[in-house]
Amino acid sequence: MTGAEALLRALRGMGVECIFASPGSDWAPLWEALAQEETLRYVSSRHEETAAAMAMGYAKATGKLPALALHTTVGALHAAMIARAAL
């Protein structure tokens, strides 16, 4: 089992059904694992702020836990602004 497959297994175990992200080339193993995935839905966005906003809206609308894949540093900062706005 690869690290990406373990991550997806852990997300499924936590009840996650949907993953939001602004794709990056540094996550190639995750994209390959998602291509084989049948239960998790992946929603792609062009920017981290949009992905975070969609994940927050999904959580509020469905009451379900989403996953959000972000780029380090600036991606996390962009998402923090959306999390603060959602609060």
Side-chain angles (χ1 to χ4, degrees):
M1 175 184 303
T2 67
E5 291 166 344
L7 173 63
L8 296 181
R9 179 183 284 185
L11 291 174
R12 282 191 307 274
M14 293 187 308
V16 171
E17 298 175 358
C18 194
I19 300 173
F20 297 86
S22 174
S25 60
D26 48 337
W27 303 336
L30 179 59
W31 308 139
E32 290 178 22
L34 277 170
Q36 304 301 317
E37 181 60 43
E38 295 182 5
T39 58
L40 293 172
R41 187 174 67 177
Y42 170 70
V43 180
S44 182
S45 170
R46 298 189 90 186
H47 196 275
E48 292 91 349
E49 284 186 43
T50 308
M54 288 191 298
M56 302 278 179
Y58 172 87
K60 286 184 175 188
T62 66
K64 296 178 181 180
L65 178 67
L68 178 61
L70 297 170
H71 298 280
T72 58
T73 61
V74 77
L77 290 172
H78 284 289
M81 290 187 290
I82 295 299
R84 176 65 179 125
L87 180 63

